Amino acid sequence: MDITDIRIRKVNADGKLKAYVTVTFDESFVVHNVKVIEGENGIFIAMPSRRTKNGEYKDVAHPINTDFRAVLQDRILDEYNKIGDSDEVPADE
């Protein structure tokens, strides 16, 4: 599975949330609302999730192995770092 597009929308507010990301796979499947978060140990991604009835959050889409999660996180964070102070990665990149 190839990551064919990454679109980043930075959040212009103080706090841990730094951006929302939309990732397209094989030009055929899209996942919205991946989050870029500033944690105590640096920046990481959080997959889209929903709050359950008991108040916990459960991912609605996520990688099923650590190797692909690492690839996905590396690609997203590389793109996030490239855009600097701009709001979004151009569609053609």
Side-chain angles (χ1 to χ4, degrees):
M1 179 178 318
D2 292 324
I3 299 169
T4 52
D5 190 35
I6 297 175
R7 295 180 186 253
I8 299 174
R9 294 176 317 281
K10 284 196 162 186
V11 174
N12 294 323
D14 291 336
K16 295 180 181 183
L17 179 63
K18 299 301 178 188
Y20 286 102
V21 181
T22 298
V23 183
T24 305
F25 300 92
D26 292 333
E27 298 179 4
S28 301
F29 186 81
V30 68
V31 177
H32 297 283
N33 294 326
V34 176
K35 297 174 220 57
V36 175
I37 297 176
E38 179 76 46
E40 291 181 13
N41 298 319
I43 284 185
F44 65 95
I45 64 168
M47 299 306 293
S49 60
R50 277 196 183 179
R51 192 172 184 174
T52 63
K53 289 181 182 181
N54 64 2
E56 295 178 0
Y57 286 89
K58 183 164 181 86
D59 289 349
V60 294
H62 58 88
I64 59 172
N65 64 57
T66 55
D67 291 338
F68 187 71
R69 180 175 180 82
V71 168
L72 181 61
Q73 179 162 286
D74 289 347
R75 286 282 309 274
I76 289 171
L77 296 182
D78 284 348
E79 292 298 323
Y80 175 80
N81 290 325
K82 281 182 190 176
I83 64 173
D85 292 331
S86 67
D87 289 332
E88 186 171 353
V89 173
D92 293 326
E93 283 191 7

